[in-house]
């Protein structure tokens, strides 16, 4: 049986690691891991907010199937990956984010360590030490193991921010170290979906510093694995639970909301230094992949399919599109969104956008959103961008090839009417096939209109 080490970042953008096109100094440990395994450049989480994303990963089911659409527990009688692994003799452990898988007792961890024991989820030494202890205990018992190590970086508050000083006392801040590399505002390049304003640049530098400390955690855990002697029989998976907590990213359905830096190192299976840039994969696919690694039967009815054929680079039909959803913010505000993307276009249906409801989420806290609002007073383009973010359009369509930052909504352009119709149809079929609770609403609104006009 293969051991499984699942390492997650909290709110890391899919393009942050250097191996995914990010700053060279952002993630040296992740870049080494990428060189030793396979990277998936078009991996997406099903829902771009923490608890629903993690619950979907651990159940292999869409949020509307497992019950965790927002920050609530999964439904009764829903199987979790721990069930299968424990039946196969695995020792299971979790470091950090314990309460973001609910109900906690349902997962029945053999070892569960909360964020305070991990330096508020930001102390690499604590992660490394506890990982080493967990692996040693499993080894003494002669058992394979599954360890989920969850860094709390680069979730807000970012390193060096005013929010960090406001949230935690000086004594609490002493529980974790500074990142091994601290970024300065004048050395970073702001992502294209955000305006390049001084305050945005400052906050993005703070974010990158926190991402570097997440990478420090990754390095500490991987070093513990190496010292244990078990690396040769361990599948290592790294991903982020959703995009970074900035406007037009986390808690939405944009490309940078759900894009995740997926890395899988599986000795004897994944060829080191390989890259998959063609297949759009969903993190629901990890549950059946873990089943393959553990040698246990994959349950019927999962919403994902194993990545093993892709890891083995077998010839097969390409995964040419991916669906994502959004239901509820951490503040329990409902903003229903659905999305379908392929390599060329991304289509979003905002069920909540009615011309009156205004969007509000954690990604608007901090420096960047305030800077956008201030700049909007004198800049018409920024004003339009900010106004759009708050109210949205019912439908959004983006040409991802020419506009990967999703700056220009082209849903109303006649030249893309055929593309729009195809995306509506694909989303409607997926919603119907999966029993999405808004399937009939979307069909009546978007597809029914086309049928009535004779365009299909």
């Amino acid at each position: 049986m293969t051991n499984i080490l699942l390492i997650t970042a909290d709110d890391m953008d899919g393009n942050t690691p250097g191996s995914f096109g990010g700053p060279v100094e952002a993630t040296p440990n992740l870049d080494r891991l990428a060189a030793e395994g396979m990277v998936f450049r078009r991996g997406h989480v099903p829902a771009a907010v923490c608890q629903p994303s993690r619950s979907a990963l651990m159940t292999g089911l869409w949020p509307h199937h497992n019950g965790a659409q927002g920050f609530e527990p999964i439904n009764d009688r829903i199987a979790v990956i721990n069930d299968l692994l424990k039946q196969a003799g695995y020792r299971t452990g979790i470091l950090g984010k314990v309460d973001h898988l609910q109900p906690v007792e349902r997962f029945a961890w053999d070892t569960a360590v909360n964020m305070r024991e991990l330096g508020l989820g930001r102390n690499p030494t604590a992660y490394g030490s506890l990982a080493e202890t967990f692996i040693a205990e499993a080894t003494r018992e002669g058992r394979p193991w599954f360890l989920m190590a969850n860094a709390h970086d680069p979730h807000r508050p970012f390193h060096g921010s005013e929010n960090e000083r406001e949230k935690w006392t000086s004594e609490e801040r002493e529980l974790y170290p500074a990142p091994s590399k601290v970024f300065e505002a004048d050395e970073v390049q702001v992502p294209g979906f955000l305006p390049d304003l001084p305050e945005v640049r400052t906050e993005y530098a703070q974010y990158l510093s926190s991402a570097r400390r997440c990478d420090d955690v990754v390095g500490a855990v991987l070093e513990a694995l190496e010292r244990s002697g078990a690396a040769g029989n361990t599948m290592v998976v790294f991903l982020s639970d959703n995009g970074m907590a900035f406007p037009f990213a986390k808690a939405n359905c944009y490309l940078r909301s759900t894009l995740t830096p997926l890395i899988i190192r599986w000795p004897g299976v994944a060829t080191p230094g390989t890259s998959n840039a063609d297949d759009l994969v969903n993190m629901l696919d990890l549950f059946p992949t873990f089943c393959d690694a553990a040698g246990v039967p994959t349950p019927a009815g999962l919403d994902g399919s194993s990545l093993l054929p892709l890891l083995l680079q077998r010839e097969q039909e390409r995964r040419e599109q991916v669906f994502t959803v959004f239901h509820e913010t951490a503040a329990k505000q409902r903003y229903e969104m659905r999305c379908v993307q392929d390599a060329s276009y991304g289509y979003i249906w905002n069920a909540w956008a009615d011309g009156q409801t205004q969007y509000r989420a954690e990604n608007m806290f901090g420096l960047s959103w305030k800077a956008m609002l201030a700049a909007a007073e004198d800049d018409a383009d920024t004003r339009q961008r900010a106004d759009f973010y708050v109210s949205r359009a019912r439908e959004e369509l983006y040409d991802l090839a020419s506009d990967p930052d999703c700056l220009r909504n082209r849903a109303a352009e006649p030249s893309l009417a055929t593309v729009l119709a195809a995306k509506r149809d694909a989303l409607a079929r997926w919603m119907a096939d999966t029993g999405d609770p808004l399937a009939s609403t979307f069909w009546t609104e978007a597809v029914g209109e086309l049928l009535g006009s004779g365009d299909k």
Side-chain angles (χ1 to χ4, degrees), residues 403-434:
D403 181 22
D405 294 315
C406 300
L407 299 175
R408 179 184 173 191
N409 179 16
R410 303 183 66 181
E413 294 187 15
S415 63
L416 291 180
T418 301
V419 173
L420 178 64
K423 291 294 172 238
R424 284 171 169 170
D425 182 65
L427 185 60
R429 293 178 188 277
W430 174 84
M431 292 175 73
D433 289 345
T434 64

Side-chain angles (χ1 to χ4, degrees), residues 42-44 255 276-282 285 305 307 310 316-324 339-347 400 422-423 426 430:
R42 289 181 171 168
H44 288 264
L255 173 66
N276 185 316
D278 296 320
D279 292 283
L280 284 90
V281 301
N282 195 306
D285 300 330
S305 56
L307 297 174
L310 299 183
Q316 66 166 19
E317 185 176 345
R318 288 292 181 191
R319 304 184 186 203
E320 296 182 343
Q321 61 184 359
V322 66
F323 298 90
T324 59
C339 175
V340 57
Q341 298 180 38
D342 59 25
S344 301
Y345 295 96
Y347 170 77
L400 300 177
K423 291 294 172 238
W430 174 84

Side-chain angles (χ1 to χ4, degrees), residues 382-417:
T382 305
R383 166 53 61 190
Q384 183 179 33
R385 184 89 168 136
D387 287 347
F388 181 81
Y389 191 56
V390 170
S391 61
R392 308 294 166 90
R394 196 73 168 182
E395 295 182 292
E396 299 177 63
L397 180 67
Y398 297 99
D399 182 341
L400 300 177
S402 64
D403 181 22
D405 294 315
C406 300
L407 299 175
R408 179 184 173 191
N409 179 16
R410 303 183 66 181
E413 294 187 15
S415 63
L416 291 180

